[in-house]
Each structure stands twice: as C-alpha cells, then as structure tokens.
Amino acid sequence: MADKKVIDKVKELLDSNANASLKEAAKKWLDEVDEKYGDKIDMIKEKGSEAFEKMGDFAESFSEKSIEFTEKAGKVSEKIGEGYEKFTEKAAPVVEDLKEKAAPKIDELKEKAAPKIDELKEKAAPTIDELKGKAAPVVSKVVESEFIKQLKEGIASLDEVIETFSKPDMKEKMGEEAAEQIRKHAEAMKAEGKTYCDCPACTKAREILRDLGVDIDAPEAE
C-alpha cells in the first residue's frame, strides 16, 4: 500500500511553486496510484463491509429472538393480567418465575452471540490483510516507475541554478540584486561539495525520493 506520508508529500509538491517537470511527475503519479490502487481500496472496503454486514445480520437475528422471547413472555403476562383482580395472589409468583426463566435465556443468547461475532472478525481480518498484500506490489510498481525518474529530472542541480541566474533575462525578470544573491548562494553550496538546489520544491522532491528508498545525494545514486 502506498505510504500515506509519501502521498501527502507528493500532494504538497503538486501544490507548491515547483517547476513544471516536478508538478507533472507528481500529478501523473497520484493519478496512477488512484487508477491502479482505487479498485483495491474499494475491494477491501467491500470485503470489510460484507463481514460487518454479516455481524449486523447476526446481531439483528439475536435482537429478533430477544424480542420474540419478550413478546411471548409479555403475552403470558397479559393473559395473567386479564384476570388480575381475581388471580392477583396467583399471578405474582408466576410473573416472578417468568422473569427468572427469562434472565438465563437472554444471558445464554448473549454468550452464544459473542463467539460468533469474534469468529466473523477473525475471518474478516486475514481477508483484508490478504487484499492489502496483493495491492502492495501494484503500488510498488507504480512507485518504481516513471515517477522516480521524473522527480530526478525535475530537481535542479546547482550548476543549472548558477547558469540560469547568470542570464541577463533572469536578472531583468527578478532584479539584478535578487538574481545575484541566488547565484552566489548556489556557488557557495557548490563550494561546500553539494550538488542540488535547496529551494523548497527541490528539497521536497528529494525528501519524497528518500521516502521511496532513493537518495540522490548518495554517491551510488549519481
């Protein structure tokens, strides 16, 4: 299953001021996850709903039996009540006897219901786990596909930043002072041995890659 933390970060990247390449990669990945994994989610929900529906049916059946038993006891009480004035002394012990007999019946039904409900829960759990297990490889294939490649391509290197903010049109667009500050910042980072831009969008993209097990800052990832 796709990690919720990763999905949230990809959504943040999509909503940020990231470049077009990063935004396109984020949108495409979210669409693919929704398309390929949506059915699995629905299936899990459907299986879970079926299990809980069975639990509900059993509970309803239990309630109906309780009501039926209560109604029968009530009818007996009504018949006794019809001749209440005449049979008051005789009716009292009969009613008490019915109450005493009803109590263990209800307790017995509750005891029988408990293991049935637990059994349904136990049967539902492996089904849901199985569906999650089957869904995980599907999402993994999506994660390991074009998305990672596009994220890598969308992250700007310091060389690209230096080149971009050295151009006259960028200085004119942003202002010479602002463009110069960004260029100098990138040069200082490069002097420290760093490779990639540290703007919020590029930083977020690298963070998502690390969450997916890809660290482009590691030598082997170059």
Side-chain angles (χ1 to χ4, degrees), residues 69-82:
F69 181 82
T70 303
E71 287 178 349
K72 288 181 179 179
K75 288 178 180 179
V76 173
S77 297
E78 284 176 8
K79 289 181 180 180
I80 294 171
E82 289 174 359

Side-chain angles (χ1 to χ4, degrees), residues 1 37 41 47 70 74 92 97 101 120 141 151 171 175 194 198:
M1 184 176 291
Y37 192 59
I41 290 289
K47 292 293 182 181
T70 303
D97 183 54
K101 289 180 179 179
L120 286 170
K141 289 181 181 179
L151 279 181
K171 291 181 179 180
K194 297 179 180 178
D198 66 345

Side-chain angles (χ1 to χ4, degrees), residues 105-151:
K105 287 289 184 181
I106 292 174
D107 291 338
E108 181 183 350
L109 286 170
K110 287 181 179 179
E111 288 179 4
K112 289 181 178 179
K116 288 290 183 180
I117 292 174
D118 291 338
E119 182 183 350
L120 286 170
K121 286 181 179 179
E122 289 178 4
K123 288 182 178 179
T127 302
I128 292 174
D129 290 339
E130 180 184 355
L131 288 169
K132 286 181 179 178
K134 289 180 179 179
V138 176
V139 179
S140 295
K141 289 181 181 179
V142 177
V143 168
E144 295 170 1
S145 67
E146 192 69 14
F147 180 53
I148 289 177
K149 178 182 176 182
Q150 289 179 330
L151 279 181

Side-chain angles (χ1 to χ4, degrees), residues 39-55 120 123-131 134:
D39 291 342
K40 299 293 182 181
I41 290 289
D42 291 339
M43 190 183 301
I44 290 173
K45 288 181 179 178
E46 183 179 343
K47 292 293 182 181
S49 296
E50 289 177 1
F52 284 107
E53 185 177 342
K54 288 180 180 179
M55 291 169 61
L120 286 170
K123 288 182 178 179
T127 302
I128 292 174
D129 290 339
E130 180 184 355
L131 288 169
K134 289 180 179 179

